[in-house]
Amino acid sequence: MAPSQGGAGLPVLYSFRRCPYAIRARLALAAAGLVPELDLEVREVSLACKPPELLLASPKGTVPVLVVPPRDPGSEPGPNPGTHGAAQRVIDQSLALMTWALAQHDPGDWLRLGASPAAQANRAEIATLVAENDGPFKHHLDRFKYPDRFQAGDSPANPANDHQGHRAAALTILRRWNQRLHPGGWLLGQSPSLADWALLPFVRQFRRADPAGFDAEPNLAALQNWLERFEACAELTAVMAPPWGQRQTWRSPRWLYHLALAQEWRQGQAAGVYARSTRGLGLEQVGFIHASYAHQLAATHSRFYGDAGPVVLLTIDPARLEQAGVAVRAEPAGSNPEAGSERFPHLYGPLPLTAVRAADPYQP
């Protein structure tokens, strides 16, 4: 089954607001003139609870991923790079996504597509810089920023996995980039190229791991200024705010959802199983646990939990319910089957904690 597309067959961008790969993809899409909700649908995902639509489109489960309907002008019939099957095009590499967007419209000449020797040299430099960023710089950045995620010995250049050693190695690369920059300029001269926009989100992430240390680092004045201008630029501001940078996670229609009082969810966690039906009522009183589909959540919260204080949104995997032997039936909410046509999912049995994909504070 193909992942669902956005309204009116729009391309769908799966993104994560803070991910540097996703940031650079959004920068290119915005630079190409694409407008969320008009030209594409942006779906903010939780990397801890990846929606099935994302995994069906790109099993590796990383962002960004752009799913392009076949009738889009950027799509080609038959197999081609970035395509999974003939029905749609899936672009699941950030650099390929940037190139796809800018190939349609590149008003700032980020790609440097001219035929002159200078343009050809620029393209070669862009490729070299991006390869250094996505390879060795990202390698050291990750091990400096997240030392607990990596084991000693996984880095031949730093067998002890000393995070300060990785910081020093990353700084060596940054100093090379610093030498390319002129005050107020960019990596390839006086106008930005794809290299600048592809690298800056990662330099931004490096600084955020140790702002005081980065700002105090000598011999990086040009690069520090380059990053400061990026942090303040309208382009970054735009893609970090809605509608490009969504702050609420997109809710998949393939999941089921249950609103729980925070205290009752904690009690369920302690007991190893959750058995509350709805606010003020237990499973033993009602006979099933009330749940909702994604589009029903706002009304359910407003009607039953608007004055309830902290509420937890449980994201439930129907496949795991089936594995646990918990039946799910779509039924009217009231006791009278003829009361209305809208049906809600009802869980006939305790909710096993293994079926809960995520438990997050509910955001209307």
Side-chain angles (χ1 to χ4, degrees), residues 258 274-278 281-291 326-329 331-335 344-351:
H258 175 80
Y274 179 82
R276 301 299 298 174
S277 176
T278 187
L281 295 171
L283 172 62
E284 71 283 357
Q285 296 168 280
V286 179
F288 57 82
I289 294 176
H290 285 272
V326 178
V328 179
R329 301 173 191 164
E331 300 172 323
S335 57
F344 291 77
H346 294 160
L347 282 55
Y348 280 84
L351 173 60

Side-chain angles (χ1 to χ4, degrees), residues 174-250:
L174 291 179
R175 291 191 186 98
R176 286 201 294 271
W177 296 350
N178 181 77
Q179 292 173 358
R180 301 183 61 98
L181 291 160
H182 299 284
W186 304 86
L187 288 169
L188 300 185
Q190 294 305 310
S191 64
S193 71
L194 182 140
D196 296 280
W197 301 110
L199 272 57
L200 276 162
F202 295 87
V203 180
R204 175 177 180 264
Q205 190 178 61
F206 180 83
R207 179 188 179 274
R208 292 195 164 205
D210 179 13
F214 179 89
D215 294 344
E217 193 65 36
N219 305 317
L220 280 183
L223 187 134
Q224 289 159 342
N225 177 266
W226 179 59
L227 177 61
E228 184 177 348
R229 286 184 286 122
F230 176 64
E231 293 271 21
C233 75
E235 291 89 346
L236 178 64
T237 299
V239 302
M240 296 302 289
W244 279 112
Q246 297 289 343
R247 293 185 179 274
Q248 183 181 95
T249 300
W250 178 73

Side-chain angles (χ1 to χ4, degrees), residues 67 69 76 92 116 135-136 139 147 172 190-191 201 224 240 253 288 310 354:
V67 181
E76 300 174 10
D92 58 6
S116 69
H139 174 90
T172 297
Q190 294 305 310
S191 64
Q224 289 159 342
M240 296 302 289
F288 57 82
T354 55

Side-chain angles (χ1 to χ4, degrees), residues 68-285:
V68 186
R71 61 179 172 274
D72 185 273
S75 178
E76 300 174 10
N80 59 76
T83 299
H84 296 184
Q88 62 189 9
R89 183 175 185 184
V90 176
I91 306 173
D92 58 6
Q93 297 290 339
S94 63
L95 191 61
L97 204 162
M98 294 180 79
T99 303
W100 174 86
L102 296 168
Q104 298 179 67
H105 186 49
D106 185 10
D109 193 26
W110 290 14
L111 294 177
R112 302 295 200 265
L113 287 181
S116 69
Q120 295 177 31
N122 277 177
R123 290 196 295 275
E125 290 180 280
I126 289 171
T128 298
L129 286 163
V130 171
E132 186 171 39
N133 177 82
D134 292 9
F137 182 73
K138 184 64 164 62
H139 174 90
H140 295 300
L141 166 61
D142 286 346
R143 286 155 182 79
F144 166 55
K145 185 176 175 65
Y146 310 109
D148 295 340
R149 296 185 185 180
F150 299 92
Q151 297 180 348
D154 83 323
S155 177
N158 187 351
N161 206 32
D162 168 33
H163 80 287
Q164 288 299 327
H166 286 295
R167 178 181 185 273
L171 282 169
T172 297
I173 297 172
L174 291 179
R175 291 191 186 98
R176 286 201 294 271
W177 296 350
N178 181 77
Q179 292 173 358
R180 301 183 61 98
L181 291 160
H182 299 284
W186 304 86
L187 288 169
L188 300 185
Q190 294 305 310
S191 64
S193 71
L194 182 140
D196 296 280
W197 301 110
L199 272 57
L200 276 162
F202 295 87
V203 180
R204 175 177 180 264
Q205 190 178 61
F206 180 83
R207 179 188 179 274
R208 292 195 164 205
D210 179 13
F214 179 89
D215 294 344
E217 193 65 36
N219 305 317
L220 280 183
L223 187 134
Q224 289 159 342
N225 177 266
W226 179 59
L227 177 61
E228 184 177 348
R229 286 184 286 122
F230 176 64
E231 293 271 21
C233 75
E235 291 89 346
L236 178 64
T237 299
V239 302
M240 296 302 289
W244 279 112
Q246 297 289 343
R247 293 185 179 274
Q248 183 181 95
T249 300
W250 178 73
R251 293 166 184 154
S252 168
R254 296 175 186 251
W255 298 135
L256 304 178
Y257 301 90
H258 175 80
L259 294 170
L261 298 178
Q263 181 178 356
E264 293 181 346
W265 170 239
R266 288 194 295 269
Q267 291 170 349
Q269 288 178 296
V273 67
Y274 179 82
R276 301 299 298 174
S277 176
T278 187
R279 182 179 178 182
L281 295 171
L283 172 62
E284 71 283 357
Q285 296 168 280

